[in-house]
Amino acid sequence: MQVGVRREQRAGERRVAATPETVQQLTALGLDVAVESGAGNEAGFPDAAFAQAGATVVPDLLPESLEVLLHVRPLSPETAAGLRPGTITVGFGSPASELSTVRALADAGVTSFALELVPRISRAQSMDALSSQSLVSGYRAVLEAALRYPRFFPLYMTAAGTIPPARVLVLGAGVAGLQAIGTAKRLGARVSANDIRAASADEVASMGGTFIHLDLDSRNADAAAEGSGGYARELGEDRAKRQRGLLAPHVASADVLITTAAIPGRAAPLLVTLDMVAGMRAGSVVVDLAAESGGNVEGVIAGRDIEVPVDGGSVTLVGLQDAASAMPSDASRLYAKNVANLLALMTADGQVSPDFDDEVVAGACLTHGGSVRHAGTSEAMEALK
């Protein structure tokens, strides 16, 4: 079967859905891989490396000529509509925000797999692209904060005086948050963190951070905060308001605040108000990793730095965008392996033939046979009618 890898079409996207290593993995399964010229250039994978790995490099890859299409960002509705019926696609789908593309995929008779939907079970860990890309994003968030922070992160004791370490607060202790904690700690900062799941305390401690316990006055709070697949569940408005009130003094004492809280398929929860940001010291930096899905911080704009006036200066509010794409080589290396592992699960004797009795395959499927198979997305589309 013909598997195609296109140059990513969205502005700013530098990752690629295959690497020379995964090309070798796929060709060993009996698949023919075609890579559009230049697809991997920005990630550090030139055409010659793909060709040496066994791929055919072509000037332009026509969607209608493919049987399988691998991609990073969600396809455009126009690209989806141009695919042949029965084509299989594997990549991020962002179904909650890309309903027009989902509709086009279904109308075209495309079998699409969205990596956000891969079940979070042990045997699917090697296909979990959300986790692999969050690893990159959490690391990058700390570097972006350090570049903007006008002081040192580590403690320095010098003949001219002692420079105290930066105080970093991380909100959200998923993969991105834990990576941010570990990175800030390695840079010498004093790190604390909070997550609505109290069970995250041990993970925070294992990365060198101090967990902030908030008394939200709720029985079985941890169970209420735990959503499906290990993700956090959005709090009710009363508890969310109380959470913000309890977090306010911790935010005010932080030099750097990094927010990472996200709920797949939903807008990011509001954790920090502008009043809370205004309580921080001049020169402080806030990096919101959830800016692209609405933001954890009030007033954030994806892709922009905003100066919030405070006594003596301002606080820099960073709406981080394309965080994983900012480190395209390693991000692509991890992502492409996730894609190849999922495709390998569906491949036998050189043919990609999804087995919908397999819970990983069924769970990751977005559209098939002209219909939307993912229940949440289907309900969202019905609600719009």
Side-chain angles (χ1 to χ4, degrees), residues 149-195:
Y149 184 57
R151 305 180 185 93
F152 289 123
F153 263 41
L155 166 72
Y156 282 114
M157 300 179 70
T158 76
T162 299
I163 298 174
R167 286 172 287 191
V168 175
L169 173 61
V170 178
L171 300 183
V175 175
L178 292 173
Q179 181 65 11
I181 293 167
T183 302
K185 191 69 177 178
R186 287 190 291 272
L187 287 177
R190 184 181 299 163
V191 187
S192 58
N194 173 257
D195 192 288

Side-chain angles (χ1 to χ4, degrees), residues 10-63:
R10 297 208 178 189
E13 182 52 67
R14 301 167 65 198
R15 290 170 292 178
V16 63
T19 64
E21 179 187 355
T22 63
V23 165
Q24 291 179 331
Q25 179 181 352
L26 297 178
T27 54
L29 294 171
L31 299 171
D32 296 321
V33 181
V35 177
E36 194 167 45
S37 181
N41 283 353
E42 292 195 79
F45 303 109
D47 291 348
F50 282 112
Q52 188 174 1
T56 301
V57 178
V58 297
D60 295 291
L61 198 63
L62 302 177

Side-chain angles (χ1 to χ4, degrees), residues 334-359:
L334 296 171
Y335 180 82
K337 196 66 176 177
N338 297 142
V339 171
N341 288 341
L342 179 57
L343 196 59
L345 181 65
M346 300 185 287
T347 303
D349 300 323
Q351 296 295 312
V352 181
S353 181
D355 176 9
F356 293 105
D357 290 330
D358 185 305
E359 63 179 320

